């Protein structure tokens, strides 16, 4: 009997191993090949880099306190764009939305086709008080093969790259097959409520729908994906939701020499610790599922084996992913207590304690389910919660959509050896305002970055390579010409 049982186990294990090997072998690459006509290339000049460098000199900074924003700088930047791209401003319909955001409309040949909507934003984040740059952030310096300055990769490069493309094509008398809309917001860095939101409302009031919307998001990033030695181009097909939450506790204070068995701060700390000890469930769904399925054939053998057989290894994979903050954020809702305030004097028991949480909601959760989870683990009826600016996770864009396939083709045209896959955007973009404008929303910034460059985006020494910026323009050139 023992021999029979052992034989059954051996056979069973053999079947599992055979199935694992079968999946590894049969799951072939999903990457497309694009035939490129060498003669069909954008006519690059040194002026492109010079114009972007000049654009970076305008201090179009968005501050959380809107009273600090210098809107004259945005006016000057808009005037700079008008002077720099005369064909665009002569041939396309331009509308200023809510004074400072820009909407360009380029009529296509076929009015039965829905337009494509390309987005970017003109504002930038402030500098840190102690930031020391290699070159001043608003000098517009070209040096060491890079264009340096705040906004070089977030996001004036895309504003200028789109307009560079249109300027050249219009000079040739080119008219796209389908219409294009360029939407440039002026306050994306502070949620886009005065810029992109007004643009979307304007389009909605005119009954305009788009075939797809493309905004900033991922990029061609080198070193970001375990199991793949080179760069990967991730296209955001889903975006996490978000909200801030105020947590408040009010109790009777008193003298610190006569404290109760459990102080208000102790209760508050236990509630916070209970949430941190019980993170939201991790799952592989939607864009993250598509990413692993698409990239599995491109990975080295150990990773390919795991990704091709998630039916067997998914629990192990989730455990590994949740060990690091950067990867955990892709598979679960994250919650972080970021601000806390309590007492005012060392010998007085505080009567009021407040904390602020920043929450990023995974697509398999909702704002409501996360709030209920907070309440369950706080388990304190005296703790009051106030939800601020709730944003549900975005709708999901499938890989077989026209928009995704179009962006994929443009990427493979410019970077023919780079794998392309969907991804989940963990931060929020201006696309949050365009859910009613299109069912197909994508997030991709067509630039090459090493993973170490990502921190430059809102940090010190933001820059873009001169040749990288050329590829930035090439992407939009092929995108506009070929749909």
């Amino acid at each position: 009997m023992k021999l029979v049982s052992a034989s059954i186990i051996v056979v069973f294990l053999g079947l599992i191993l055979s199935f694992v090997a079968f999946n590894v072998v049969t799951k072939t690459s999903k990457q497309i090949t694009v035939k490129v006509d060498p003669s069909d290339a954008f006519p690059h000049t040194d002026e492109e880099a010079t114009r972007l460098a000049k654009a970076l000199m305008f201090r179009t900074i968005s501050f959380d306190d809107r009273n600090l924003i210098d809107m004259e700088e945005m006016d000057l930047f808009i005037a700079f764009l008008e002077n720099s791209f005369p064909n665009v401003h002569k041939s396309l319909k331009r509308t200023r939305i809510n004074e400072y955001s820009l909407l360009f409309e380029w009529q296509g040949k076929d009015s039965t086709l829905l337009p494509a909507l390309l987005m970017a934003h003109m504002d930038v984040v402030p500098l840190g008080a102690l930031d020391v740059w290699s070159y001043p952030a608003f000098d517009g310096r070209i040096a060491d093969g890079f264009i340096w300055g705040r906004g070089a990769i977030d996001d004036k490069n895309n504003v200028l790259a789109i307009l560079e493309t249109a300027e050249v094509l219009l000079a040739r008398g080119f008219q796209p097959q389908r219409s294009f809309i360029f939407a440039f917001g002026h306050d994306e860095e502070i949620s886009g409520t005065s810029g992109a939101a007004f643009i979307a409302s304007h389009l909605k009031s005119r009954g305009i729908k788009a075939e797809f919307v493309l905004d900033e998001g991922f990029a061609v990033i080198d070193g970001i994906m375990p199991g793949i030695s080179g760069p990967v181009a991730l296209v955001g097909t889903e975006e996490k939701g978000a909200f801030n939450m105020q947590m408040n506790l009010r109790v009777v204070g008193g003298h610190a020499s006569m404290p109760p068995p459990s102080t208000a701060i102790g209760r508050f700390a236990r509630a916070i610790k209970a949430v941190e000890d019980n993170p939201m469930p991790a799952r592989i769904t939607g864009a993250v599922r598509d990413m692993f399925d698409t990239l599995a054939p491109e990975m080295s053998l150990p990773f390919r084996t795991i990704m091709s057989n998630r039916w067997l290894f998914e629990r192990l994979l989730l455990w590994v992913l949740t060990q690091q903050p950067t990867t955990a954020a892709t598979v679960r809702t994250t919650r972080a207590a970021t601000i806390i305030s309590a007492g005012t004097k060392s010998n007085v028991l505080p009567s009021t304690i407040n904390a602020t949480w920043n929450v990023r909601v995974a697509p398999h959760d909702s704002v409501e389910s996360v709030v209920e989870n907070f309440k369950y683990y706080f388990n304190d009826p005296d703790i009051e919660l106030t939800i601020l600016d709730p944003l549900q996770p975005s709708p999901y864009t499938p890989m077989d959509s026209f928009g995704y396939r179009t962006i994929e083709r443009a990427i493979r045209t410019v970077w023919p050896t780079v794998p392309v896959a969907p991804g989940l955007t963990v931060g929020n973009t201006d696309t949050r305002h365009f859910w009613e404008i299109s069912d197909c929303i994508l997030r991709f910034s067509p630039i090459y970055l090493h993973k170490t460059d990502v921190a430059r985006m809102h940090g010190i020494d933001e820059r873009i390579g001169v040749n990288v910026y050329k590829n930035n323009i090439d992407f939009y050139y092929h995108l506009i010409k070929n749909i």
Side-chain angles (χ1 to χ4, degrees):
M1 179 62 71
K2 290 183 178 180
L3 183 61
V4 172
S5 298
S7 299
I8 292 173
I9 292 172
V10 169
V11 171
F12 181 69
L13 291 175
L15 288 173
I16 290 178
L17 290 173
S18 297
F19 193 62
V20 168
F22 177 80
N23 283 341
V24 172
V25 172
T26 57
K27 291 192 176 181
T28 57
S29 178
K30 298 182 180 181
Q31 301 303 309
I32 64 171
T33 300
V34 180
K35 292 183 178 180
V36 180
D37 180 0
S39 65
D40 185 18
F42 188 89
H44 291 290
T45 69
D46 293 340
E47 291 302 309
E48 300 152 14
T50 301
R51 275 188 288 271
L52 177 57
K54 289 179 179 178
L56 302 182
M57 297 173 70
F58 295 92
R59 297 173 180 259
T60 55
I61 303 170
S62 282
F63 294 96
D64 288 336
D65 182 352
R66 289 181 181 264
N67 293 320
L68 300 176
I69 300 174
D70 184 357
M71 297 314 301
E72 184 179 351
E73 282 290 308
M74 189 63 73
D75 264 330
L76 293 171
F77 178 63
I78 291 171
F80 163 78
L81 295 180
E82 188 168 357
N83 291 330
S84 300
F85 302 102
N87 291 332
V88 170
H89 288 80
K90 176 183 176 182
S91 302
L92 306 191
K93 178 184 177 182
R94 191 195 78 167
T95 307
R96 288 185 69 153
I97 305 293
N98 198 22
E99 295 190 71
Y100 301 106
S101 287
L102 299 178
L103 185 71
F104 293 91
E105 297 174 70
W106 192 354
Q107 185 63 46
K109 296 176 183 178
D110 190 343
S111 60
T112 66
L113 297 175
L114 290 177
L117 198 160
L118 306 182
M119 296 175 62
H121 62 88
M122 301 181 289
D123 61 321
V124 300
V125 295
L127 304 180
L130 301 178
D131 286 359
V132 178
W133 287 48
S134 299
Y135 301 96
F138 293 102
D139 270 16
R141 193 77 62 88
I142 301 175
D144 311 320
F146 294 92
I147 308 162
W148 301 74
R150 178 61 86 221
I153 55 176
D154 183 26
D155 187 36
K156 286 181 178 175
N157 60 302
N158 284 320
V159 173
L160 272 287
I162 290 169
L163 294 177
E164 292 282 359
T165 300
E167 185 74 9
V168 166
L169 290 176
L170 287 166
R172 295 179 181 176
F174 174 83
Q175 183 181 15
Q177 189 66 22
R178 78 172 61 235
S179 297
F180 273 84
I181 298 172
F182 306 151
F184 302 147
H186 71 269
D187 67 338
E188 189 275 342
E189 299 294 359
I190 46 177
S191 300
T193 52
S194 293
F198 277 74
I199 296 174
S201 179
H202 173 81
L203 294 173
K204 184 180 177 182
S205 71
R206 293 169 53 192
I208 293 177
K209 292 280 190 177
E211 181 65 45
F212 66 85
V213 172
L214 176 65
D215 195 11
E216 64 174 340
F218 290 108
V220 178
I221 306 179
D222 200 342
I224 193 177
M225 186 60 60
I228 297 179
S229 59
V232 172
L234 295 180
V235 180
T237 55
E238 235 174 352
E239 187 170 285
K240 294 181 85 170
F243 64 91
N244 289 319
M245 185 180 75
Q246 296 290 339
M247 172 186 179
N248 305 293
L249 177 61
R250 292 176 175 83
V251 296
V252 176
H255 200 283
S257 63
M258 297 175 287
S262 179
T263 65
I265 288 179
R267 288 171 62 184
F268 216 63
R270 284 192 293 275
I272 292 174
K273 186 69 163 55
V275 168
E276 290 184 341
D277 288 345
N278 294 277
M280 296 292 291
R283 295 176 187 166
I284 296 173
T285 62
V288 177
R289 176 199 62 221
D290 292 346
M291 176 182 69
F292 288 146
D293 288 346
T294 303
L295 292 179
E298 316 305 322
M299 293 180 167
S300 58
L301 185 59
F303 291 93
R304 187 163 74 248
T305 301
I306 292 172
M307 297 303 180
S308 299
N309 293 279
R310 287 206 322 276
W311 62 275
L312 180 60
F313 297 113
E314 185 154 316
R315 286 191 178 184
L316 172 63
L317 178 59
L318 282 171
W319 181 84
V320 172
L321 291 172
T322 54
Q323 300 312 297
Q324 296 294 328
T326 52
T327 50
T330 66
V331 292
R332 68 157 46 120
T333 292
T334 59
R335 304 180 288 192
T338 54
I339 303 171
I340 191 166
S341 61
T344 57
K345 201 171 186 299
S346 63
N347 64 347
V348 177
L349 296 172
S351 58
T352 302
I353 307 178
N354 304 293
T356 299
W357 292 76
N358 183 260
V359 182
R360 303 302 172 114
V361 186
H364 55 264
D365 292 321
S366 67
V367 171
E368 293 78 11
S369 68
V370 176
V371 172
E372 287 304 310
N373 187 273
F374 267 115
K375 292 178 180 178
Y376 178 81
Y377 284 107
F378 283 161
N379 193 28
D380 189 329
D382 293 329
I383 291 178
E384 299 175 352
L385 304 181
T386 303
I387 310 305
L388 306 174
D389 304 318
L391 176 68
Q392 299 288 1
S394 77
Y396 162 75
T397 295
M399 287 180 63
D400 60 0
S401 62
F402 174 80
Y404 179 85
R405 293 304 181 191
T406 298
I407 301 307
E408 177 188 40
R409 182 177 180 84
I411 294 171
R412 294 284 287 183
T413 300
V414 180
W415 295 278
T417 62
V418 173
V420 182
L424 171 66
T425 309
V426 298
N428 296 119
T429 64
D430 269 345
T431 60
R432 75 185 83 177
H433 304 294
F434 286 78
W435 295 357
E436 295 183 68
I437 302 301
S438 180
D439 295 328
C440 180
I441 296 181
L442 303 157
R443 304 154 190 90
F444 176 73
S445 188
I447 55 175
Y448 169 90
L449 299 172
H450 188 269
K451 67 177 181 180
T452 56
D453 291 323
V454 176
R456 299 177 187 272
M457 196 166 291
H458 282 190
I460 296 171
D461 280 347
E462 186 175 349
R463 67 185 188 181
I464 187 171
V466 172
N467 289 329
V468 170
Y469 182 53
K470 289 179 180 179
N471 287 155
N472 197 167
I473 297 169
D474 291 337
F475 171 88
Y476 290 114
Y477 174 77
H478 291 290
L479 175 66
I480 293 173
K481 280 201 67 182
N482 294 310
I483 66 169

